Amino acid sequence: MDDLSLAHSRYNCTYHIVFIPKYRKKTLYGKVKEDVREIIMTLCKYKDVEIIAGAVCADHVHLSVAIPPKLSISSFMGYLKGKSTLM
């Protein structure tokens, strides 16, 4: 188990996240699927969040991420869903 570190602590905060489009419509396929993948990778890079594994399915997105403890999971998800919608 490789722990990450901040200035005065070591941590291993990994989360499994699943989020879906409104009404679970099957809209994530083809070019949209590739765009969603790139947008999520870009936004995670901005917040220093490491993507361990991920999959974009037709009606939902699976992510396994390592989030630093200075960033709460709820604020990260709000950021990810809000900014990905705008992009």
Side-chain angles (χ1 to χ4, degrees), residues 58-81:
D59 61 347
H60 61 282
V61 177
H62 283 275
L63 286 176
S64 180
V65 293
I67 299 176
K70 64 183 178 180
L71 183 65
S72 71
I73 185 73
S74 61
S75 66
F76 172 70
M77 282 308 298
Y79 168 79
L80 187 66
K81 290 177 85 173

Side-chain angles (χ1 to χ4, degrees), residues 1-13 69:
M1 177 186 305
D2 57 341
D3 295 334
L4 302 172
S5 65
L6 292 174
H8 299 287
S9 63
R10 297 188 65 74
Y11 66 91
N12 186 6
C13 300

Side-chain angles (χ1 to χ4, degrees), residues 9 14 16 19-21 30 35 38 45 50 67 72 77-78 86:
S9 63
T14 57
H16 179 242
F19 62 95
I20 60 172
D35 290 342
E38 290 176 23
K45 209 176 292 183
E50 177 188 356
I67 299 176
S72 71
M77 282 308 298
L86 294 174

Side-chain angles (χ1 to χ4, degrees), residues 29-75:
Y29 57 89
K31 177 71 171 137
V32 175
K33 183 177 183 176
E34 297 299 322
D35 290 342
V36 167
R37 182 178 290 132
E38 290 176 23
I39 288 169
I40 290 174
M41 288 190 324
T42 304
L43 292 174
C44 287
K45 209 176 292 183
Y46 288 159
K47 289 286 187 176
D48 295 327
V49 172
E50 177 188 356
I51 299 176
I52 298 168
V56 179
C57 301
D59 61 347
H60 61 282
V61 177
H62 283 275
L63 286 176
S64 180
V65 293
I67 299 176
K70 64 183 178 180
L71 183 65
S72 71
I73 185 73
S74 61
S75 66

